[in-house]
Amino acid sequence: MSERDTLHLAHLEALQHAYSALLEAAGIDALWIYSGAPMSHHGDDQYPAFRAYGHFVHWVPMAELSHSWLLIRPAQPPLLQIHAPDDFWHLPAQRPDAAWSRAFEIRLSDDAAPPDCSATHRAVIGDLDAQQAGAMGATLNPPALLDALDRGRLHKSAHEVACLRDANRQALAGHAAARQAFEAGAGELDIHLAYLVASRQRESALPYDSIVGLNHHAGVLHYQHYDLEAPQQRHALLVDAGHRERGYCADITRTWAGPAAPDVFASLLEAMQTLQRELISACAPGVAFVELHQRMHYALAAMLIEHGVIRCSIEAAVTGGITRAFCPHGLGHSLGIQVHDVGGKQNDAGRPLPSPATDPALRLTRPLSPGMVVTIEPGCYVIPMLLEPLRSGGLAAQIDWSLVEQLAPCGGIRLEDNIVITDTGHHNLTALAQQET
Ligand code: GLY
Ligand code: MN
Ligand code: MN
C-alpha cells in the first residue's frame, strides 16, 4: 500500500472515531448522509454540473456521486450505497477498488432509496425535505450536529493536506499556461482554455468558475465572463482559478502586469507581493484572523500612501473607509472540500463568531490553529462603484484621482496562496507545490 493510501485510511479511521463520539453524545444510533442529486434547469431536461454534499465527500472522494448514501453508526464500518442503475444513456457509477474503499461496506444499488437499518434514534443530513426524512423516521439536519460536523471539517488530516497540495500543483500548471497565453496576446477565453488544458480538467470539474479578468475586468471581484476577442492593449491580467483533487480545492490567484500598464501599477504589484509574503509569514497558531485582516488594511494604507495614491494618514485611510473601498473582500477563508469551506465562523463550542460590522465579507473569524488550511489573498482594486462615493466625502482631497484614473485600466491586483497552519507556524502549500513543478 502506498503512503498516500495509508494516510487516506488513517483519515477515514479518524473520521469514524469523531463521528462515533458525536453520535453517541447526541444519542443518535444511525446517521444517513445523502450525496444529493442534480436539479435540472427549470422547464428543461439539462442539468448544471453536480457536486456531492461536502459531508459526504469528507468520507467518499467521489464528488460526482449522486443519489447515493452513507450510513454511519458508532462502532460499525460505514456503509456506502452507490446509485448505479442500468442506464444505456450514461455510464453507471463503478464500484471503487482503490485502497480507501476497504474502509467501507459498499453496495451498488439501482434504487435511490436510503439503505435501511434497525436503529431507533435516527438522523439524516443532506438536501432532503421533511417528508423524506419523516419516511425514514429520522431527524433532518439537526443544527447542533451540523455545526459540530462543520467544525470537524476545519482542521485537515494529513491526507486532506496532501490532496490540497496535489490540487495546488495542478492549478499552478494552469496558472503558468495562463500567463504564457497572456504574454502571447491571447484574450480571456483563450487564457481560460489554456488554463484548463494545462491543469488537466474539464470546466465542470473546476472547484469554482475560473476568474480570468483582463484590464479593467481584473477589478470585478468575481468577474464571470470570458471575452472572445483579445483587447487592443494589455494592461493587466488577474486569474483566480483552482483545481479539485479527490474532492479538495486549490484556490490560487495571480496578477500580471502587461506592456501597457503604467509603472505605478507594476510597483504596486511588487509591493503587494511583499505584503502577501508578510501576511503569510504571520500565520501561526493563536493568531486572530480578524486581526490579520485588519493588519492587511493598515499595510494597504501604507502602500497606497507610499505610491501617492492617497495622502492622508494610515489611520485616517483605514478608519475613513478608504482601504475598504480599494479592497472590499476578506483577507482569506478556510479551504477544503468547498472553496469557501465550512466552520470558519464559530468557536470550538459552536457559538457564532460573526464578521466585524466593518468587514461583512470576512469568511473566517476564528483564530488560527494547527491543521487549518486558509487562503491569504490581499487585494487592491479600482472599483468605480466603491470609489465614487469617496469623491464627495471629507477625504476626497486626500485621494489622487488622476493616479486612480491611470490605474483604472489595470482593474486590480489579487495574490492568493493556500496555507496550512502547523504546530509552530505554517507551510505555504502553493509555494511547496511550485517547488515541485
Ligand atoms: N476564488 C474565490 C475566492 O478567492 O475566494
Ligand atoms: Mn479565495
Ligand atoms: Mn480565489
Side-chain angles (χ1 to χ4, degrees):
M1 195 161 29
S2 72
E3 196 186 326
R4 283 299 175 80
D5 289 340
T6 309
L7 287 184
H8 200 158
L9 287 169
H11 164 79
L12 292 170
E13 200 181 323
L15 217 45
Q16 177 72 39
H17 283 301
Y19 267 67
S20 294
L22 281 174
L23 296 186
E24 275 165 12
I28 296 168
D29 310 324
L31 174 70
W32 283 260
I33 307 178
Y34 182 45
S35 66
M39 298 257 291
S40 67
H41 298 292
H42 183 65
D44 199 340
D45 66 356
Q46 299 298 306
Y47 293 80
F50 170 76
R51 69 182 59 144
Y53 183 34
H55 290 302
F56 184 91
V57 178
H58 203 192
W59 289 87
V60 180
M62 299 170 79
E64 73 287 357
L65 276 189
S66 67
H67 301 96
S68 297
W69 294 89
L70 269 170
L71 174 57
I72 313 292
R73 288 159 290 186
Q76 282 193 56
L79 169 64
L80 169 60
Q81 179 178 294
I82 297 177
H83 187 233
D86 288 338
D87 180 0
F88 52 79
W89 292 105
H90 304 100
L91 184 69
Q94 308 288 301
R95 178 184 288 274
D97 65 358
W100 63 263
S101 63
R102 287 177 223 152
F104 294 83
E105 180 193 337
I106 297 183
R107 287 184 199 160
L108 263 56
S109 169
D110 56 9
D111 189 352
D116 206 359
C117 76
S118 60
T120 342
H121 301 289
R122 301 159 165 239
V124 60
I125 60 171
D127 188 10
L128 296 161
D129 61 31
Q131 201 180 353
Q132 290 165 301
M136 296 169 69
T139 311
L140 177 61
N141 292 324
L145 179 65
L146 284 183
D147 282 351
L149 294 179
D150 285 355
R151 284 199 298 285
R153 296 244 304 267
L154 200 59
H155 298 96
K156 271 60 182 182
S157 64
H159 158 71
E160 293 176 292
V161 173
C163 292
L164 288 160
R165 186 161 161 171
D166 289 346
N168 265 259
R169 199 175 329 100
Q170 295 286 110
L172 283 172
H175 279 279
R179 182 188 184 181
Q180 272 178 13
F182 172 57
E183 285 171 354
E188 291 168 352
L189 178 67
D190 289 301
I191 295 171
H192 166 64
L193 295 175
Y195 181 91
L196 288 177
V197 170
S199 58
R200 305 289 302 150
Q201 57 193 325
R202 60 190 289 181
E203 194 161 355
S204 59
L206 287 165
Y208 55 93
D209 287 339
S210 298
I211 299 162
V212 180
L214 276 171
N215 299 344
H216 63 284
H217 291 157
V220 181
L221 298 182
H222 285 174
Y223 173 64
Q224 72 276 40
H225 303 295
Y226 304 118
D227 274 353
L228 302 187
E229 305 299 334
Q232 298 284 324
Q233 287 201 303
R234 284 175 296 132
H235 297 275
L237 169 68
L238 184 152
V239 177
D240 182 345
H243 192 277
R244 187 185 286 277
E245 186 65 35
R246 283 164 289 166
Y248 290 83
C249 307
D251 178 13
I252 299 174
T253 308
R254 294 290 179 258
T255 306
W256 309 105
D263 289 347
V264 63
F265 180 76
S267 177
L268 278 169
L269 182 51
E270 220 172 275
M272 186 62 87
Q273 281 158 353
T274 307
L275 168 56
Q276 195 214 17
R277 271 197 300 275
E278 283 167 10
L279 292 167
I280 290 171
S281 49
C283 287
V287 169
F289 202 74
V290 175
E291 281 171 25
L292 203 57
H293 169 84
Q294 184 72 348
R295 184 167 154 188
M296 170 183 79
H297 277 285
Y298 280 88
L300 182 57
M303 191 174 125
L304 291 169
I305 292 166
E306 198 185 320
H307 286 81
V309 182
I310 58 177
R311 304 181 190 100
C312 55
S313 69
I314 291 178
E315 194 61 33
V318 175
T319 54
I322 294 183
T323 57
R324 282 173 175 83
F326 280 97
C327 182
H329 62 69
L331 170 62
H333 49 83
S334 182
L335 182 68
I337 291 164
Q338 289 163 223
V339 64
H340 300 146
D341 213 7
V342 292
K345 291 177 78 169
Q346 49 171 312
N347 69 11
D348 286 337
R351 271 196 297 282
L353 295 172
S355 314
T358 46
D359 302 279
L362 185 59
R363 293 186 169 94
L364 179 60
T365 49
R366 52 178 286 146
L368 298 176
S369 49
M372 286 174 71
V373 175
V374 300
T375 65
I376 295 292
E377 47 180 307
C380 179
Y381 314 84
V382 176
I383 303 175
M385 179 187 147
L386 300 181
L387 290 173
E388 276 312 308
L390 294 179
R391 282 188 194 269
S392 52
L395 291 168
Q398 310 297 329
I399 298 174
D400 182 336
W401 293 104
S402 72
L403 205 44
V404 171
E405 300 309 324
Q406 268 189 61
L407 288 166
C410 299
I413 300 169
R414 180 163 66 254
L415 300 173
E416 178 175 25
D417 282 18
N418 304 166
I419 312 298
V420 58
I421 308 304
T422 62
D423 287 339
T424 52
H426 68 273
H427 292 312
N428 183 340
L429 295 176
T430 313
L432 289 172
Q434 185 78 64
Q435 286 163 18
E436 289 163 5
T437 53

